[in-house]
Amino acid sequence: MRYRRIWTPGGTYFFTVVTYARASIFKDENAYLLFLSCLQDVKIRHPFDLIAWSIMPDHVHLIWSLPPGDANNAVRWGLIKSQFTRRFRKLESSGNYENQRHRRERTVWQRRFWEHLIMSDEDLWRHIHYIHFNPVKHGLSASPKSWGMSSFMQFVDQQYYEVDWGNQADVW
């Protein structure tokens, strides 16, 4: 089966990337920090503007914009996932990783990623809100501000959100 991707040079995209068998590898802070490091390493070689993000125990949500004339999300995700996998396996074998269940897993990531091309400012904000409220929706946090593995507080610092946004049930 051939998957169809939307190739829009300079486009802004929302992504969901899921761990293999929904393993909760990002419960470990070392894995979370390693993912951010890999993301930054790839961003240097293959630039993109990271707009919003949230790292959940078993999946990641990101919004990024590509440079004008560049539409290749797949190469970026391939590099991020492969670099993370190599470095994560070293982290596991060093004994610094608490969840030993993954030593028997052959892979770290599901093969594909889900993408959505952002079509408008309203669409962008709907996805930014989704990213920041996702930990609350999954019962991992009482509010977006208490989930440290997201860009929420950066948005608060830039005055896009009040610090108590998302504490109420009807955020939409």
Side-chain angles (χ1 to χ4, degrees):
M1 173 180 261
R2 184 163 169 84
Y3 288 86
R4 296 176 56 120
R5 298 263 180 225
I6 299 173
W7 300 94
T8 302
T12 299
Y13 293 85
F14 167 84
F15 298 99
T16 300
V17 182
V18 181
T19 61
Y20 181 73
R22 288 261 181 196
S24 296
I25 63 174
F26 294 115
K27 282 186 174 181
D28 184 293
E29 184 179 12
N30 291 323
Y32 155 71
L33 294 173
L34 179 61
F35 178 79
L36 291 179
S37 174
C38 294
L39 189 69
Q40 292 303 318
D41 288 350
V42 170
K43 190 177 172 198
I44 290 168
R45 294 190 322 257
H46 299 277
F48 57 90
D49 291 326
L50 184 58
I51 295 170
W53 54 274
S54 184
I55 300 176
M56 309 296 286
D58 63 355
H59 66 282
V60 175
H61 295 297
L62 299 171
I63 298 174
W64 72 41
S65 290
L66 294 173
D70 189 340
N72 202 340
N73 290 313
V75 78
R76 287 167 175 83
W77 275 116
L79 291 167
I80 291 165
K81 289 165 85 173
S82 65
Q83 186 178 127
F84 178 84
T85 299
R86 278 192 313 276
R87 292 171 62 189
F88 180 72
R89 286 185 179 143
K90 287 180 186 174
L91 181 66
E92 283 183 308
S93 65
S94 72
N96 293 331
Y97 188 68
E98 294 175 12
N99 188 348
Q100 301 300 316
R101 179 171 87 96
H102 299 287
R103 289 182 188 246
R104 286 174 261 137
E105 302 283 354
R106 296 188 69 213
T107 187
V108 174
W109 300 102
Q110 286 186 4
R111 290 185 64 208
R112 301 194 185 350
F113 57 86
W114 189 85
E115 71 180 35
H116 167 76
L117 176 64
I118 301 294
M119 302 299 287
S120 66
D121 286 343
E122 180 183 337
D123 191 25
L124 175 63
W125 278 105
R126 185 174 37 250
H127 284 85
I128 291 171
H129 296 330
Y130 178 85
I131 284 173
H132 291 142
F133 194 72
N134 205 243
V136 178
K137 174 185 156 192
H138 284 280
L140 300 168
S141 176
S143 67
K145 73 178 176 187
S146 61
W147 186 254
M149 294 186 286
S150 81
S151 56
F152 179 76
M153 290 308 294
Q154 294 167 3
F155 278 73
V156 169
D157 291 345
Q158 296 169 4
Q159 300 181 343
Y160 289 111
Y161 286 125
E162 295 293 325
V163 73
D164 62 349
W165 179 90
N167 291 348
Q168 64 278 6
D170 56 322
V171 297
W172 310 108

